[in-house]
């Protein structure tokens, strides 16, 4: 029986990828190259510093083209722009179906957690006014290892209560690294988005619009009996 539902934030609750993209593209432009939306796909679920490494690689800058100090400065600049964009977000940007799905989960007595790599989780939850819908929140400031390491999800489970087994938890994720993290933690996983990218998930749904908690629970109990 599933007792806890753990949600990734970026790409699951809200589409922040477009704001990350605007900020990374601005940095690339300053460095003199174009960063495309297809390149941006590679940054989903990836930490800020790892994202910068990918961006520099796309720009043709080798691993040692910049000092660590300069890279920290570039990441800080990107984040400043990103925070400027997300500080204007409104609750209208919560992805379709998310609110009613969360309400159903809570009404079913299932505990809820948010587990995100983002260090900006607090700002986004406040802008969207949904902090209260989660029993616990674990963000990028609270973990030392990034997805695909399961640390963020295991921490969610332990904060939800020491009595939870990983097999009683389901993780909702839009990034392959996040699905891998859930699996590494021994939890069920539901992919949100493209089944070709999320093929390691127990199953994939396009989003929460028109999806009920009971349907998810049923599909997971079938999985458990396979
Ligand atoms: C993840 C996003 O949730 O958070 C990544 O999918 C992002 O694209 C990462 O790089 C870190 O976010 P932030 O807000 O700490 O820069
Ligand atoms: Mg995500």
């Amino acid at each position: 029986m599933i007792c806890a539902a753990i949600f990734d934030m970026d790409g699951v609750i809200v589409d922040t990828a477009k704001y990350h993209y605007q900020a990374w593209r601005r940095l690339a432009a300053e460095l003199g190259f174009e960063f495309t939306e297809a390149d941006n796909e590679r940054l989903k679920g990836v930490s800020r510093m790892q994202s910068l490494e990918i961006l520099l690689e796309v720009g043709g800058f080798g691993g040692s083209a910049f000092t660590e100090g300069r890279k920290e400065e570039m990441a800080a600049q990107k984040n400043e722009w990103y925070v400027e964009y997300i500080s204007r977000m409104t609750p209208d940007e919560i992805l379709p179906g998310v609110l009613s799905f969360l309400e159903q989960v809570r009404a079913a007595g299932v505990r809820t957690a948010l587990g995100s790599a983002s260090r900006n989780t607090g700002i986004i939850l406040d802008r969207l006014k949904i902090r209260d819908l989660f029993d616990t929140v674990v963000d990028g400031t609270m973990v030392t290892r990034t997805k695909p390491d399961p640390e963020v999800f295991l921490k969610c489970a332990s904060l939800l209560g020491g009595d939870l087994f990983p097999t009683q938890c389901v993780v909702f994720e839009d990034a392959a690294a996040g699905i891998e993290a859930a699996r590494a933690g021994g939890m069920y996983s539901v992919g949100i988005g493209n089944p070709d990218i999320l093929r390691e998930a127990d199953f994939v749904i396009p989003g929460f619009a028109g999806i009920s908690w009971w349907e998810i629970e049923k599909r997971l109990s079938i999985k458990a009996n396979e």
Side-chain angles (χ1 to χ4, degrees):
M1 190 188 162
I2 300 293
C3 301
I6 305 176
F7 297 81
D8 172 48
M9 179 179 69
D10 294 319
V12 170
I13 301 291
V14 68
D15 176 20
T16 40
K18 59 183 181 227
Y19 299 122
H20 279 297
Y21 176 51
Q22 280 176 37
W24 285 126
R25 195 179 47 180
R26 199 161 155 185
L27 181 68
E30 287 211 341
L31 294 169
F33 65 94
E34 199 197 337
F35 189 68
T36 68
E37 222 164 332
D39 295 326
N40 193 59
E41 279 301 307
R42 293 176 59 196
L43 309 188
K44 288 188 179 171
V46 174
S47 75
R48 193 180 306 165
M49 290 312 284
Q50 285 166 327
S51 298
L52 176 66
E53 294 294 345
I54 295 171
L55 178 123
L56 293 177
E57 182 199 307
V58 169
F61 295 100
S64 53
F66 297 104
T67 61
E68 286 310 309
R70 180 68 189 108
K71 285 188 209 171
E72 293 284 346
E73 273 172 28
M74 288 190 265
Q77 173 65 84
K78 178 266 170 179
N79 193 54
E80 206 174 291
W81 290 325
Y82 177 67
V83 169
E84 193 183 306
Y85 305 145
I86 60 172
S87 298
R88 293 194 288 257
M89 286 175 84
T90 65
D92 296 349
E93 292 179 63
I94 298 170
L95 287 170
V98 166
L99 286 181
S100 66
F101 187 79
L102 271 164
E103 276 154 18
Q104 286 171 14
V105 172
R106 291 172 69 83
V110 171
R111 289 171 256 181
T112 55
L114 189 98
S116 172
S118 174
R119 302 175 75 86
N120 293 303
T121 297
I123 303 178
I124 296 172
L125 293 182
D126 287 344
R127 290 299 307 167
L128 302 180
K129 301 191 185 358
I130 52 169
R131 196 183 274 270
D132 292 352
L133 292 176
F134 300 99
D135 297 314
T136 196
V137 173
V138 178
D139 69 17
T141 64
M142 298 163 72
V143 291
T144 52
R145 296 180 300 276
T146 52
K147 300 169 191 175
D149 189 284
E151 185 183 2
V152 63
F153 297 140
L154 293 175
K155 190 153 195 170
C156 283
S158 80
L159 289 175
L160 284 176
D163 57 325
L164 274 178
F165 291 106
T167 49
Q168 293 174 311
C169 304
V170 57
V171 171
F172 294 91
E173 253 293 348
D174 71 315
I179 297 291
E180 213 182 313
R183 287 174 62 95
M187 297 176 175
Y188 286 102
S189 60
V190 176
I192 308 292
N194 185 340
D196 294 332
I197 298 173
L198 305 169
R199 55 185 168 269
E200 298 298 322
D202 287 304
F203 58 89
V204 179
I205 55 175
F208 290 105
I211 300 278
S212 71
W213 167 247
W214 300 279
E215 197 178 328
I216 297 290
E217 211 181 17
K218 195 167 128 203
R219 289 183 72 176
L220 289 175
S221 70
I222 293 169
K223 271 270 160 193
N225 293 321
E226 267 172 11

Tab-separated table of all heavy atoms in Angstrom, residues 8-11 16-17 20 24 40 43-49 51 75 78-79 82-83 86 115-121 124 140 147 174-175, ligand 1:
chain	number	residue	atom	x	y	z
A	8	ASP	N	8.742	15.722	-7.555
A	8	ASP	CA	9.770	16.635	-8.022
A	8	ASP	C	9.040	17.965	-8.288
A	8	ASP	O	7.807	17.975	-8.398
A	8	ASP	CB	10.379	16.050	-9.304
A	8	ASP	CG	11.312	17.007	-9.988
A	8	ASP	OD1	12.178	17.580	-9.301
A	8	ASP	OD2	11.181	17.202	-11.211
A	9	MET	N	9.758	19.065	-8.364
A	9	MET	CA	9.061	20.341	-8.584
A	9	MET	C	9.152	20.821	-10.036
A	9	MET	O	8.137	20.950	-10.725
A	9	MET	CB	9.630	21.420	-7.650
A	9	MET	CG	8.972	22.787	-7.838
A	9	MET	SD	9.646	24.018	-6.707
A	9	MET	CE	11.304	24.215	-7.352
A	10	ASP	N	10.413	21.075	-10.493
A	10	ASP	CA	10.595	21.637	-11.838
A	10	ASP	C	10.163	20.612	-12.892
A	10	ASP	O	10.717	19.519	-12.966
A	10	ASP	CB	12.068	22.014	-12.064
A	10	ASP	CG	12.512	23.167	-11.155
A	10	ASP	OD1	11.739	24.116	-10.980
A	10	ASP	OD2	13.635	23.104	-10.629
A	11	GLY	N	9.151	20.952	-13.678
A	11	GLY	CA	8.692	20.052	-14.735
A	11	GLY	C	7.581	19.113	-14.288
A	11	GLY	O	7.008	18.398	-15.109
A	16	THR	N	9.327	25.384	-14.978
A	16	THR	CA	10.374	26.392	-14.779
A	16	THR	C	11.477	26.283	-15.825
A	16	THR	O	12.330	27.166	-15.909
A	16	THR	CB	11.019	26.232	-13.387
A	16	THR	OG1	11.151	24.853	-13.148
A	16	THR	CG2	10.208	26.893	-12.313
A	17	ALA	N	11.432	25.196	-16.637
A	17	ALA	CA	12.512	24.992	-17.621
A	17	ALA	C	12.646	26.209	-18.539
A	17	ALA	O	13.753	26.579	-18.924
A	17	ALA	CB	12.248	23.729	-18.429
A	20	HIS	N	14.732	28.751	-16.681
A	20	HIS	CA	16.141	28.324	-16.654
A	20	HIS	C	16.749	28.598	-18.035
A	20	HIS	O	17.853	29.108	-18.148
A	20	HIS	CB	16.244	26.816	-16.365
A	20	HIS	CG	16.122	26.463	-14.905
A	20	HIS	ND1	17.022	26.879	-13.953
A	20	HIS	CD2	15.210	25.699	-14.245
A	20	HIS	CE1	16.668	26.386	-12.768
A	20	HIS	NE2	15.577	25.681	-12.916
A	24	TRP	N	20.034	30.772	-18.930
A	24	TRP	CA	21.241	30.128	-19.496
A	24	TRP	C	21.557	30.702	-20.874
A	24	TRP	O	22.718	30.906	-21.229
A	24	TRP	CB	21.060	28.605	-19.597
A	24	TRP	CG	21.154	27.855	-18.299
A	24	TRP	CD1	20.229	26.998	-17.784
A	24	TRP	CD2	22.250	27.843	-17.359
A	24	TRP	NE1	20.664	26.469	-16.586
A	24	TRP	CE2	21.893	26.972	-16.309
A	24	TRP	CE3	23.483	28.502	-17.311
A	24	TRP	CZ2	22.747	26.732	-15.216
A	24	TRP	CZ3	24.322	28.262	-16.219
A	24	TRP	CH2	23.950	27.393	-15.198
A	40	ASN	N	18.990	22.827	-23.998
A	40	ASN	CA	18.430	23.019	-22.664
A	40	ASN	C	17.812	21.736	-22.091
A	40	ASN	O	17.779	21.543	-20.881
A	40	ASN	CB	17.376	24.131	-22.713
A	40	ASN	CG	16.983	24.595	-21.336
A	40	ASN	OD1	17.818	25.055	-20.568
A	40	ASN	ND2	15.718	24.439	-20.994
A	43	LEU	N	19.652	19.829	-19.501
A	43	LEU	CA	19.842	20.396	-18.155
A	43	LEU	C	18.743	19.997	-17.168
A	43	LEU	O	18.840	20.283	-15.980
A	43	LEU	CB	19.906	21.929	-18.230
A	43	LEU	CG	20.887	22.533	-19.245
A	43	LEU	CD1	20.961	24.035	-19.059
A	43	LEU	CD2	22.272	21.922	-19.120
A	44	LYS	N	17.704	19.332	-17.677
A	44	LYS	CA	16.580	18.982	-16.787
A	44	LYS	C	17.025	17.997	-15.705
A	44	LYS	O	17.625	16.972	-16.018
A	44	LYS	CB	15.418	18.406	-17.602
A	44	LYS	CG	14.736	19.485	-18.410
A	44	LYS	CD	13.474	18.995	-19.082
A	44	LYS	CE	12.838	20.162	-19.850
A	44	LYS	NZ	11.741	19.724	-20.700
A	45	GLY	N	16.739	18.347	-14.470
A	45	GLY	CA	17.078	17.471	-13.340
A	45	GLY	C	18.535	17.539	-12.932
A	45	GLY	O	18.954	16.882	-11.989
A	46	VAL	N	19.309	18.347	-13.645
A	46	VAL	CA	20.751	18.430	-13.406
A	46	VAL	C	21.039	19.646	-12.517
A	46	VAL	O	20.408	20.690	-12.668
A	46	VAL	CB	21.472	18.566	-14.779
A	46	VAL	CG1	22.946	18.806	-14.623
A	46	VAL	CG2	21.197	17.341	-15.628
A	47	SER	N	22.020	19.528	-11.607
A	47	SER	CA	22.283	20.629	-10.672
A	47	SER	C	22.825	21.871	-11.409
A	47	SER	O	23.226	21.790	-12.563
A	47	SER	CB	23.301	20.199	-9.617
A	47	SER	OG	24.592	20.178	-10.199
A	48	ARG	N	22.831	22.981	-10.704
A	48	ARG	CA	23.239	24.243	-11.316
A	48	ARG	C	24.667	24.183	-11.870
A	48	ARG	O	24.916	24.572	-13.019
A	48	ARG	CB	23.127	25.377	-10.281
A	48	ARG	CG	23.213	26.748	-10.891
A	48	ARG	CD	23.094	27.820	-9.821
A	48	ARG	NE	21.905	27.670	-8.999
A	48	ARG	CZ	21.708	28.284	-7.831
A	48	ARG	NH1	22.618	29.107	-7.343
A	48	ARG	NH2	20.598	28.080	-7.136
A	49	MET	N	25.615	23.686	-11.073
A	49	MET	CA	27.007	23.658	-11.522
A	49	MET	C	27.216	22.641	-12.647
A	49	MET	O	27.977	22.886	-13.576
A	49	MET	CB	27.966	23.387	-10.350
A	49	MET	CG	28.077	24.529	-9.367
A	49	MET	SD	28.349	26.170	-10.106
A	49	MET	CE	30.082	26.114	-10.556
A	51	SER	N	24.929	21.883	-14.781
A	51	SER	CA	24.307	22.527	-15.945
A	51	SER	C	25.300	23.470	-16.605
A	51	SER	O	25.418	23.511	-17.838
A	51	SER	CB	23.071	23.334	-15.525
A	51	SER	OG	22.095	22.503	-14.963
A	75	ALA	N	27.723	31.046	-12.636
A	75	ALA	CA	26.528	30.377	-12.099
A	75	ALA	C	25.721	31.360	-11.246
A	75	ALA	O	24.478	31.364	-11.284
A	75	ALA	CB	26.924	29.158	-11.281
A	78	LYS	N	23.871	33.704	-13.623
A	78	LYS	CA	22.703	33.009	-14.204
A	78	LYS	C	21.581	32.943	-13.175
A	78	LYS	O	20.409	33.174	-13.474
A	78	LYS	CB	23.105	31.600	-14.676
A	78	LYS	CG	21.955	30.784	-15.242
A	78	LYS	CD	21.303	29.897	-14.197
A	78	LYS	CE	20.017	29.260	-14.677
A	78	LYS	NZ	19.409	28.378	-13.678
A	79	ASN	N	21.942	32.628	-11.926
A	79	ASN	CA	20.909	32.480	-10.899
A	79	ASN	C	20.226	33.813	-10.600
A	79	ASN	O	19.021	33.858	-10.357
A	79	ASN	CB	21.491	31.873	-9.627
A	79	ASN	CG	20.394	31.435	-8.684
A	79	ASN	OD1	19.512	30.669	-9.074
A	79	ASN	ND2	20.394	31.955	-7.480
A	82	TYR	N	17.715	34.212	-13.212
A	82	TYR	CA	16.652	33.221	-13.022
A	82	TYR	C	15.712	33.664	-11.897
A	82	TYR	O	14.482	33.636	-12.045
A	82	TYR	CB	17.285	31.847	-12.719
A	82	TYR	CG	16.291	30.754	-12.443
A	82	TYR	CD1	15.434	30.286	-13.447
A	82	TYR	CD2	16.201	30.165	-11.178
A	82	TYR	CE1	14.523	29.272	-13.193
A	82	TYR	CE2	15.295	29.151	-10.919
A	82	TYR	CZ	14.454	28.704	-11.929
A	82	TYR	OH	13.548	27.707	-11.679
A	83	VAL	N	16.299	34.128	-10.796
A	83	VAL	CA	15.478	34.560	-9.648
A	83	VAL	C	14.613	35.771	-10.040
A	83	VAL	O	13.455	35.881	-9.632
A	83	VAL	CB	16.368	34.846	-8.414
A	83	VAL	CG1	15.583	35.546	-7.309
A	83	VAL	CG2	16.977	33.549	-7.888
A	86	ILE	N	11.659	34.135	-11.913
A	86	ILE	CA	10.707	33.351	-11.107
A	86	ILE	C	10.019	34.196	-10.037
A	86	ILE	O	8.962	33.835	-9.546
A	86	ILE	CB	11.337	32.077	-10.473
A	86	ILE	CG1	12.498	32.418	-9.549
A	86	ILE	CG2	11.747	31.075	-11.546
A	86	ILE	CD1	13.028	31.211	-8.764
A	115	GLY	N	10.480	16.909	-3.356
A	115	GLY	CA	11.920	16.627	-3.354
A	115	GLY	C	12.546	17.188	-4.607
A	115	GLY	O	12.386	16.626	-5.689
A	116	SER	N	13.229	18.326	-4.477
A	116	SER	CA	13.767	19.011	-5.659
A	116	SER	C	15.253	19.292	-5.531
A	116	SER	O	15.751	19.555	-4.438
A	116	SER	CB	13.023	20.342	-5.836
A	116	SER	OG	13.639	21.111	-6.838
A	117	ALA	N	15.937	19.295	-6.677
A	117	ALA	CA	17.364	19.648	-6.712
A	117	ALA	C	17.553	21.159	-6.603
A	117	ALA	O	18.659	21.637	-6.357
A	117	ALA	CB	17.973	19.162	-8.030
A	118	SER	N	16.467	21.903	-6.791
A	118	SER	CA	16.609	23.358	-6.886
A	118	SER	C	16.873	24.011	-5.536
A	118	SER	O	16.218	23.716	-4.533
A	118	SER	CB	15.341	23.972	-7.482
A	118	SER	OG	15.434	25.377	-7.432
A	119	ARG	N	17.799	24.946	-5.554
A	119	ARG	CA	18.084	25.743	-4.357
A	119	ARG	C	17.112	26.918	-4.273
A	119	ARG	O	17.148	27.686	-3.328
A	119	ARG	CB	19.544	26.226	-4.392
A	119	ARG	CG	20.550	25.061	-4.488
A	119	ARG	CD	21.977	25.547	-4.643
A	119	ARG	NE	22.523	26.061	-3.413
A	119	ARG	CZ	23.108	25.327	-2.474
A	119	ARG	NH1	23.222	24.029	-2.640
A	119	ARG	NH2	23.569	25.872	-1.384
A	120	ASN	N	16.264	27.054	-5.295
A	120	ASN	CA	15.275	28.138	-5.315
A	120	ASN	C	13.864	27.638	-4.998
A	120	ASN	O	12.882	28.350	-5.235
A	120	ASN	CB	15.262	28.795	-6.702
A	120	ASN	CG	16.555	29.531	-6.990
A	120	ASN	OD1	16.951	30.431	-6.241
A	120	ASN	ND2	17.258	29.142	-8.042
A	121	THR	N	13.775	26.431	-4.471
A	121	THR	CA	12.460	25.821	-4.194
A	121	THR	C	11.564	26.729	-3.339
A	121	THR	O	10.378	26.904	-3.652
A	121	THR	CB	12.668	24.455	-3.483
A	121	THR	OG1	13.364	23.603	-4.388
A	121	THR	CG2	11.365	23.809	-3.085
A	124	ILE	N	9.847	29.556	-5.224
A	124	ILE	CA	8.805	29.080	-6.144
A	124	ILE	C	7.555	28.640	-5.373
A	124	ILE	O	6.435	29.007	-5.735
A	124	ILE	CB	9.371	27.951	-7.045
A	124	ILE	CG1	10.487	28.541	-7.924
A	124	ILE	CG2	8.274	27.314	-7.901
A	124	ILE	CD1	11.275	27.536	-8.728
A	140	GLY	N	17.493	21.539	-2.804
A	140	GLY	CA	18.917	21.439	-3.127
A	140	GLY	C	19.856	21.966	-2.051
A	140	GLY	O	21.051	21.666	-2.083
A	147	LYS	N	20.568	13.982	-7.778
A	147	LYS	CA	19.975	12.873	-8.529
A	147	LYS	C	20.935	12.520	-9.666
A	147	LYS	O	21.507	13.442	-10.238
A	147	LYS	CB	18.614	13.294	-9.111
A	147	LYS	CG	17.591	13.713	-8.050
A	147	LYS	CD	16.370	14.361	-8.713
A	147	LYS	CE	15.469	15.018	-7.673
A	147	LYS	NZ	14.344	15.763	-8.242
A	174	ASP	N	9.967	14.155	-13.824
A	174	ASP	CA	10.001	14.392	-15.279
A	174	ASP	C	11.392	14.146	-15.873
A	174	ASP	O	11.550	14.240	-17.085
A	174	ASP	CB	9.582	15.832	-15.602
A	174	ASP	CG	10.643	16.835	-15.187
A	174	ASP	OD1	11.179	16.707	-14.057
A	174	ASP	OD2	10.967	17.732	-15.986
A	175	ALA	N	12.394	13.862	-15.024
A	175	ALA	CA	13.760	13.711	-15.542
A	175	ALA	C	14.233	12.271	-15.372
A	175	ALA	O	13.936	11.622	-14.355
A	175	ALA	CB	14.704	14.649	-14.793
B	1	LIG	C1	16.247	21.032	-11.155
B	1	LIG	C2	16.072	21.507	-12.585
B	1	LIG	O1	15.013	20.812	-10.568
B	1	LIG	O2	16.950	22.023	-10.396
B	1	LIG	C3	17.437	21.830	-13.189
B	1	LIG	O3	15.437	20.487	-13.352
B	1	LIG	C4	18.153	22.853	-12.302
B	1	LIG	O4	17.268	22.323	-14.504
B	1	LIG	C5	18.255	22.335	-10.875
B	1	LIG	O5	19.469	23.109	-12.822
B	1	LIG	C6	18.920	23.325	-9.926
B	1	LIG	O6	18.115	24.473	-9.833
B	1	LIG	P1	18.549	25.822	-9.133
B	1	LIG	O7	17.259	26.586	-8.976
B	1	LIG	O8	19.155	25.468	-7.797
B	1	LIG	O9	19.552	26.500	-10.008
